[in-house]
Amino acid sequence: MTAHGIAEPGSRALSGWQAMLRVVEGLWIWYRRNWRATAVSNVAQPLLYLAAFGVGFGGLIDASPHAAQATGGVPYLLYLAPALLTVSAVQNATFESTYPIFSAFRSQRTYWGITATPITPAQLVTGQLVGIALRLTVSATAYVLVIAPFGAIRGPGVLAALVFAVLCGMAFSAPLMALAAAWKKGRTPFAAISRFVVLPMVLFSGTFFPVSQLPRAVQALVRISPLWHGTELARGAALGTLRLWPAAGHLAYLTALLAVGVLLSRWRFRVRLTP
Amino acid sequence: MSDSLVQARGLRKWFGALEAVHGIDFDVQAGEVFGFLGPNGAGKSSTMRMIGCVSPRSAGELQVLGMDPDTDGPWIRSRLGVVPQQDNLDLELSVQDNLHVYGRYFGISRAAVRAKAVELLDFVQLTDRAADPVEQLSGGMKRRLTIARSLVNEPELMLLDEPTTGLDPQARHLLWDRLFQLKQQGVTLIITTHYMDEAEQLCDRLVVMDGGLIVAEGSPRELIARYATREVLELRLRPGARNGWDETLKDVADRVEELPDRLLLYASDGEAALAAAHQRGVQPVSSLIRRSTLEDVFLRLTGRSLVD
Amino acid sequence: MRALQELSRALGAPRAGLLMRVLPPALYVGRARMLVLRASRVSRNIWIMILSGVCEPLFFLVAMGQGLGGLVGAVVGPAGQQLSYAAFIAPGLLAASAMNGAVYDTTYSVFFKLKYAKLYDAVLATPLGPMDIALGEIIWALIRGGMYSAGFLMIMLVTGLISSPWAVLALPVALFVTFAFASVGMAATSFMRSWQDFGLVQLAVLPMFLFSDTFVPLSVYSPAAQWLTQASPLYHAVTLLRDLTTGAIGWSMLGHGAYLLVMTAAGILVASGRLKALLLH
Ligand SMILES: Nc1ncnc2c1ncn2[C@@H]1O[C@H](COP(=O)(O)OP(=O)(O)OP(=O)(O)O)[C@@H](O)[C@H]1O
Ligand SMILES: [Mg+2]
């Protein structure tokens, strides 16, 4: 029998790719029906921030000579746009890799349903992460498409910025997913994370103003923030100011974080699903 | 007015276009245990919620404790104890805080409710879990806590919607015992259940509901006498070998009921029916003769077996 | 915690009050404070609660006030005076956090308890009615909002962002703002069908947060955009509070107050009309 794509017994039932695609397909079916609920926070939020700070307020900043020096002479709208792209990727990634994962383990128990099929926990992790990356890409693309006609981007470099933004989101998503998979208590730490980790990260990682505006001690602290690395990459790519070695450093940091997160998630998923 | 605690005449409930209760009449007397039986979706919980004054009736008359739920809801509810079909404990509070806060909703003084909580936790054997968050209780423990909670205001009338669903046999027997104690104390109980043994054990009187209507009413014994024979012969046949047998066996029993996995022959003498069936060439895989129960009444009245 | 319970009792005990006479007992039995008791039990650690509530506007104040303020320099205050950017946004953040807290407490939080935790099903099986629940939740939102606002005002005082003694009125006004948004939030929740609808709540709150003269001075906008901004209820709350903390007292404040008063009344009216349908079915 080759029904449902299952090969003859003895051979491995599903290749990693097939398995992952099935998980992604399952997530996608859900997303297709429910995207409206998240569209506001995923796309409208960065757009509104850009409109508020980039447009009218931008004039105020551009008029100040001190500011032009700090932003490298770039109009504030152009300065802010790629940073908000990254911010929004990280914020969406935070949400997508906490509550839904937690509830798939706990209240809905969908993960047990999935791993009762030939799909393994590791494949489930990959599929779930790819699903999140897809959603981040969709939202980020929508954002770019909306802002492009308003002169908020400089050129094709924004495509690289988009990739960096998604990478940054995923570097934050993977470790959080491991946490969500490990969390068993009813009271979750996710609200505290978004309030005490994500919000300060968004405000102090050079999104709205260069990090040089901050005291030296805080500047050192900011270097831990994945969002800062992501913003440097995305802004550099969008404005065409990226230099090789700093970029390599930022990329290495984000990739390492992603890799650690993936390994941790696989471990937690395996422990939880195949005790 | 009679001394009935609950009186319904032509009681109806609809949710939009769907009519959940189609006009029912019943009376619950003070001190009795009154049961609602019926298949899923029969309208039992809808009726219970109307009695509990949390669901306005759509038409008909309803009096609870001599008052009208539409206008006197708060006074009625202050004398009711409610165990809903689905536990709605406060998951953010500890076990004892659940009782405490709930008691305060009834306006019971803090000192009184503290003492009451101790007593009730003992009553449902949860004393050692008093400080735990409700989240950590097992399903059956949550059920017991819900029952304890419903007693916090020392109700005169209790509404128990499938109180023992999810309990292990020991906990069920414990609960039956507790309910019996309450009855002894003069508390009136209205109960819905899918367990026939529970209904037979507990209920003085019950009604069978189906499709929003009451299809029969009486004590368990009366209902069995009215709707079933004294004995039942159960024949388990080979799959596929069953077709047409109920025709052949028609005159062997008063009534033949065909279930997916077996035939039920209702007869006053089961042995005689079995002999007659053998004579007609029926060769069952197994056979069983037993007394009729409420389950048979249920089957007869609703065409469905109870636990579905 | 005890003090909190005392306060809640004082606030939530209009037993023989006006409401008891106006509302039928099927709707209200005057025990709203019991829900406040419940809420205070749930959030046992009050200091952590205040801390987390104050942190959010504080992060904004530090980041935007210092970082962005360094770029912008001074802005023009309500009385035409030069104002540091931090002193400009602080009252805006005070108003915005009052709004955010009140909206959260009366929409997400209430909807969750209604649809998922089934908390109100249990409460309604007791003598309490729908209005007890609504009032209890609003009172709790007020208590929380009041504590956050007080905390944030203290920070403003210590950091020198308050330049007028009129600021003593900022706390009651912040409470009033909380009440206004809580009543509208409760009314909005009575229309909610599923989580999908909360996108709309965000869509209403976020633009208000960003465009109500909170971070961006009204003067940078075109006249049409200014006119639109002035329709936002948060704009009136921000303006009232900024007038108080900077001492720009004038008759226009009555207008802002009246706007919020009308909004509160409308919220209460809608909510009390619909709550019964929402909770009893
Ligand atoms: N809140 C509601 N909104 C819409 N329909 C409802 C609601 N509550 C119940 N119903 C419908 O009313 C009918 C009767 O439901 P009810 O819960 O009273 O049945 P029941 O006899 O208690 O069944 P069960 O044995 O499954 O508990 C069902 O068709 C159900 O779908
Ligand atoms: Mg039911």
Side-chain angles (χ1 to χ4, degrees), chain A residues 42 51 137 150 183 203:
Chain A
N42 292 1
T137 310
F150 294 97
W183 200 267
L203 290 171

Side-chain angles (χ1 to χ4, degrees), chain B residues 55 77 90 92 97 105, chain C residues 31 38 41 44 126 128:
Chain B
S55 170
R77 290 197 300 267
D90 196 327
E92 293 183 271
D97 277 355
Y105 291 149
Chain C
R31 279 198 201 137
R38 183 243 163 219
R41 289 248 161 171
R44 266 172 189 275
T126 75
L128 273 67

